[in-house]
């Protein structure tokens, strides 16, 4: 028996000024299926789902829910039709419990029967296999628990159609597996689920069907079981993309950094990095893994001289074998010692680039740290900017536009390209492919490999554990600011990393 359609969108068009976010898109979601929506950054997938969930209203097109044409003007209209969207950034009140957040904002009687609400919430939790304490406060919860609250909130409000935006972006492999079990249980109960994601391995694992968007238009619709990662990538990009990362063994690795008992204080005196001890070698890529907020970016910022350390030492060993104590040095002092560090921070516009300045000026800012001429020459920054635009396929109207006018992905390309172009001895990158499409991401991975082969010591934070395992030589795993373990990336597994990220051991994982 053929599946009937839960949602059908016909000829959907949405523009923002001169930008065509969606153009004449046809989209179908069947009842009782898990559908993945794929596309590069700017392909229109999130806009299309925002239209379905009532955040935007289409300029043209029709929407049918359960066979009837509908008009969705707000998220409330969408929920009334059984459509709920769980966004990447959760909308929860920290000081309230899970149950209180689930009913917050709902119309009802003057006097609320919280006991009855809790019973319904517990029933939903048990029905689908969620792991959630309904009485736990949000501020006490892990990211996966908060996500569970958002999903249960939608189910409590009657959603039969769920849209999940990048649901595994900050989950450990174990948490991802649990989420997928829940989603399969929901599918078995007749729920229809849409997942917006960029992780192709997970698309192949969880979805029944895939819809692919490119430049605002639908370019493909395939059954997952009949497809492959290579086919999906080609549909997304419009051409074949080499998804292989050629990891070579380190050649003549030499110690570049020695981190000893490093402790960094975060807000309100809370330690963001605690007693970290490790070494970094030339000609290798050292990965840093951890749940969001485990101290990854603070660790790199401390090494770069951007954060004061409260305890410990940072020692640098030059290619000539000289040792320098960098413990209390800021970036300017490090540069004065002719130590070439390059750092791609997580905050690309706040810390990495100047939003109001054009491309050559942002190159010049970096060059001024090594060139102390009173009247710096603009030719070299322009040459650098031109080279980065060409090599990384940066989309820009020209060299002389302010950085803030570029998309987030193009800003990231410029920042990564600029730091690599400085010929560093140590290159640190925090989330270097965040906001980039798959083709640009692999260009960055290949550039990092080139740096490694040139003898650079590379330290990188990457959220995608599959990539981290394929790209890196060693991986240190942070848990609540502490190094929980160091793994050989050639022999490690995602499951091992996930256990270390949550402070568990092999013996505890099945308890």
């Amino acid at each position: 028996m053929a599946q009937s359609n839960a949602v059908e969108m016909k000829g959907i068009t949405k523009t923002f000024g001169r930008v065509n976010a969606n153009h004449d898109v046809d989209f179908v979601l069947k009842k009782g299926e898990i559908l993945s929506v794929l596309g590069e950054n700017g392909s229109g997938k999130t806009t299309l789902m925002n239209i379905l969930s009532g955040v935007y209203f289409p300029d043209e097109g029709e929407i049918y829910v359960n066979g009837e044409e509908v008009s969705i003007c707000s998220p409330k209209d969408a929920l009334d039709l059984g459509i709920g969207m769980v966004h990447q950034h959760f909308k929860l009140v920290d000081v309230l419990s899970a149950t209180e957040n689930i009913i917050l904002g709902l119309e009802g009687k003057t006097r609320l029967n919280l006991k009855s609400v809790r019973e319904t919430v517990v029933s939903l939790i048990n029905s689908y296999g969620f792991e959630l304490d309904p009485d736990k406060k949000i501020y006490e919860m892990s990211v996966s628990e908060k996500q569970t609250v958002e999903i249960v909130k939608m189910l409590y409000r009657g959603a039969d159609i769920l849209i999940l935006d990048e649901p595994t972006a900050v989950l450990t492999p174990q948490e991802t597996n649990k989420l997928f079990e829940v989603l399969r249980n929901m599918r078995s109960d007749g729920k229809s689920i849409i997942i917006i994601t960029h992780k192709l391995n997970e698309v192949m694992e969880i979805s029944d069907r895939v819809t692919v968007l490119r430049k605002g238009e639908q370019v493909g619709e395939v059954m997952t079981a009949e497809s492959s990662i290579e086919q999906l990538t080609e549909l997304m990009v419009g051409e074949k993309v080499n998804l292989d990362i050629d990891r070579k063994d380190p050649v003549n690795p030499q110690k570049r950094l020695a981190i000893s008992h490093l402790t960094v204080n975060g807000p309100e005196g809370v330690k963001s990095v605690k007693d970290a001890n490790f070494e970094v070698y030339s000609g290798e890529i050292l990965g840093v893994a951890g749940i969001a907020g485990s101290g990854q970016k603070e660790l790199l910022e401390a090494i770069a001289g951007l954060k004061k350390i409260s305890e410990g030492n940072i020692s640098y060993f030059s290619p000539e074998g000289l040792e320098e104590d960098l413990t209390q040095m800021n970036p300017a002092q490090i540069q004065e010692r002719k130590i070439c560090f390059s750092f791609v921070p997580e905050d690309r516009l706040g810390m990495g680039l100047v939003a109001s300045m054009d491309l050559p000026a942002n190159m010049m800012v970096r060059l001024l740290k090594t060139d102390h001429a009173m009247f710096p020459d603009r030719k070299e920054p322009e040459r650098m900017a031109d080279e980065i635009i060409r090599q990384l396929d940066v989309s820009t109207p020209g060299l002389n536009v302010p950085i803030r006018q570029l998309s987030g992905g193009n800003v990231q390309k410029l920042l990564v390209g600029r730091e690599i172009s400085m010929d560093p001895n140590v290159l640190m990158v925090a989330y270097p492919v965040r906001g980039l499409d798959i083709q640009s991401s692999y260009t960055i991975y290949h550039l990092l490999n080139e740096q490694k082969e040139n003898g650079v010591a590379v330290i990188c934070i990457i959220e995608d554990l599959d990539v981290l395992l394929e790209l890196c030589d060693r991986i240190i795993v942070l848990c609540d600011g502490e190094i929980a373990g160091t793994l050989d990336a050639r022999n490690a597994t995602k499951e091992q990393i996930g256990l270390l990220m949550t402070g568990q051991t092999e013996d505890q994982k099945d308890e």
Side-chain angles (χ1 to χ4, degrees):
M1 181 177 173
Q3 287 175 287
S4 57
N5 293 337
V7 171
E8 190 173 0
M9 304 173 80
K10 296 182 179 179
I12 298 296
T13 295
K14 181 66 179 177
T15 59
F16 298 95
R18 297 181 181 179
V19 178
N20 235 348
N22 292 132
H23 177 67
D24 197 27
V25 175
D26 293 335
F27 173 86
V28 171
L29 172 69
K30 300 182 183 298
K31 291 185 178 179
E33 78 164 349
I34 299 175
L35 173 71
S36 287
V37 179
L38 278 181
E40 296 182 299
N41 297 95
S43 63
K45 57 187 186 295
T46 300
T47 299
L48 187 67
M49 292 301 101
N50 279 332
I51 289 171
L52 182 57
S53 63
V55 175
Y56 298 144
F57 191 80
D59 300 331
E60 297 176 25
E62 303 162 355
I63 302 175
Y64 296 83
V65 176
N66 296 321
E68 294 187 8
E69 186 173 359
V70 298
S71 178
I72 305 176
C73 301
S74 69
K76 184 180 183 303
D77 288 347
L79 264 174
D80 290 343
L81 293 165
I83 302 169
M85 185 166 180
V86 177
H87 298 270
Q88 276 184 273
H89 303 291
F90 307 138
K91 301 172 182 179
L92 301 169
V93 179
D94 281 354
V95 296
L96 298 182
S97 69
T99 299
E100 290 165 341
N101 268 277
I102 286 165
I103 60 161
L104 190 64
L106 286 179
E107 296 178 2
K109 299 176 182 178
T110 305
R111 187 175 180 82
L112 179 67
N113 187 343
L114 198 59
K115 182 180 178 182
S116 175
V117 173
R118 185 186 183 281
E119 288 173 357
T120 305
V121 169
V122 170
S123 177
L124 286 170
I125 291 170
N126 294 336
S127 295
Y128 297 111
F130 292 108
E131 292 185 7
L132 181 67
D133 178 355
D135 303 315
K136 195 173 184 179
K137 302 291 186 183
I138 299 299
Y139 67 80
E140 299 175 319
M141 292 185 178
S142 66
V143 175
S144 65
E145 289 174 309
K146 292 176 183 177
Q147 184 182 71
T148 299
V149 174
E150 289 281 20
I151 295 173
V152 175
K153 182 166 72 174
M154 291 300 149
L155 295 174
Y156 183 88
R157 296 168 189 223
D160 291 314
I161 299 163
L162 272 175
I163 306 166
L164 307 179
D165 189 5
E166 298 286 356
T168 66
V170 290
L171 301 186
T172 67
Q174 288 80 3
E175 290 168 339
T176 297
N177 291 336
K178 288 176 183 175
L179 174 63
F180 285 178
E181 287 176 17
V182 169
L183 295 183
R184 292 186 184 102
N185 292 337
M186 292 168 63
R187 176 181 60 188
S188 299
D189 193 43
K191 305 290 184 187
S192 303
I193 302 162
I194 300 170
I195 296 178
I196 306 171
T197 184
H198 68 280
K199 296 183 179 180
L200 296 179
N201 289 324
E202 294 177 0
V203 169
M204 301 301 294
E205 180 182 348
I206 189 62
S207 66
D208 302 301
R209 208 160 47 88
V210 181
T211 288
V212 182
L213 299 181
R214 186 168 71 239
K215 296 180 180 177
E217 299 183 0
Q218 191 210 52
V219 295
E221 184 179 282
V222 297
M223 299 300 296
T224 309
E226 299 170 2
S227 184
S228 65
I229 288 177
E230 289 73 21
Q231 181 189 357
L232 294 177
T233 303
E234 190 171 345
L235 279 171
M236 288 168 59
V237 178
E239 61 185 31
K240 288 186 181 296
V241 177
N242 179 12
L243 299 180
D244 294 326
I245 297 176
D246 183 19
R247 175 177 54 195
K248 294 182 171 63
D249 290 334
V251 176
N252 189 28
Q254 297 177 0
K255 189 191 297 182
R256 282 286 170 269
L257 290 172
I259 314 301
S260 177
H261 301 292
L262 184 69
T263 298
V264 180
N265 287 336
E268 300 179 3
V270 177
K271 291 183 173 64
S272 51
V273 180
K274 308 170 187 175
D275 196 35
N277 296 276
F278 63 97
E279 294 177 341
V280 185
Y281 292 87
S282 65
E284 77 159 2
I285 298 179
L286 176 68
V288 183
I291 296 171
S294 294
Q296 303 97 304
K297 76 181 187 72
E298 291 86 356
L299 176 63
L300 265 59
E301 288 172 6
I303 296 171
L306 293 164
K307 271 194 180 301
K308 281 197 170 185
I309 69 173
S310 54
E311 295 177 36
N313 295 93
I314 303 172
S315 296
Y316 168 76
F317 299 85
S318 72
E320 296 75 30
L322 300 176
E323 182 178 352
E324 290 265 13
D325 184 3
L326 309 184
T327 305
Q328 298 301 332
M329 288 190 191
N330 59 36
Q333 292 168 327
I334 292 172
Q335 289 286 350
E336 286 172 5
R337 297 296 184 95
K338 306 296 184 185
I339 299 170
C340 194
F341 277 14
S342 282
F343 179 42
V344 177
E346 180 181 23
D347 184 3
R348 51 196 173 206
L349 282 181
M351 190 181 289
L353 298 166
V354 182
S356 60
M357 293 169 58
D358 66 15
L359 279 63
N362 270 285
M363 302 299 119
M364 193 181 295
V365 165
R366 188 68 168 88
L367 290 171
L368 284 174
K369 295 179 179 178
T370 54
D371 181 2
H372 299 289
M374 184 176 294
F375 300 104
D377 186 359
R378 193 175 161 90
K379 289 181 181 178
E380 177 59 16
E382 286 179 347
R383 187 202 65 76
M384 280 179 61
D386 266 330
E387 177 68 15
I388 293 168
I389 289 170
R390 183 192 60 77
Q391 189 176 25
L392 297 183
D393 192 25
V394 177
S395 179
T396 174
L399 286 179
N400 300 317
V401 299
I403 285 281
R404 64 166 173 260
Q405 292 185 13
L406 304 186
S407 70
N410 286 305
V411 170
Q412 185 75 345
K413 290 180 189 178
L414 283 168
L415 179 55
V416 173
R418 185 189 72 179
E419 293 305 306
I420 286 177
S421 71
M422 300 307 297
D423 295 325
N425 290 324
V426 177
L427 172 64
M428 294 175 284
V429 290
Y431 311 103
V433 300
R434 181 177 284 172
L436 299 188
D437 56 61
I438 192 165
Q439 190 167 23
S440 298
S441 296
Y442 275 81
T443 299
I444 298 297
Y445 301 149
H446 297 322
L447 285 174
L448 295 179
N449 251 332
E450 283 180 13
Q451 292 297 297
K452 164 189 166 178
E453 290 168 22
N454 290 337
V456 177
V458 181
I459 312 174
C460 69
I461 307 170
I462 293 177
E463 293 162 311
D464 191 326
L465 295 185
D466 289 302
V467 170
L468 209 61
L469 285 167
E470 194 176 351
L471 177 69
C472 299
D473 300 290
R474 292 185 298 132
I475 298 171
I476 60 173
V477 185
L478 292 176
C479 175
D480 193 26
E482 297 183 19
I483 296 181
T486 302
L487 301 172
D488 181 341
R490 289 169 175 76
N491 304 319
T493 65
K494 285 199 300 182
E495 289 67 31
Q496 285 177 313
I497 296 175
L499 290 172
L500 290 171
M501 286 166 70
T502 53
Q504 291 182 285
T505 65
E506 288 285 339
D507 296 333
Q508 293 172 312
K509 68 180 181 179
D510 296 321
E511 290 180 5

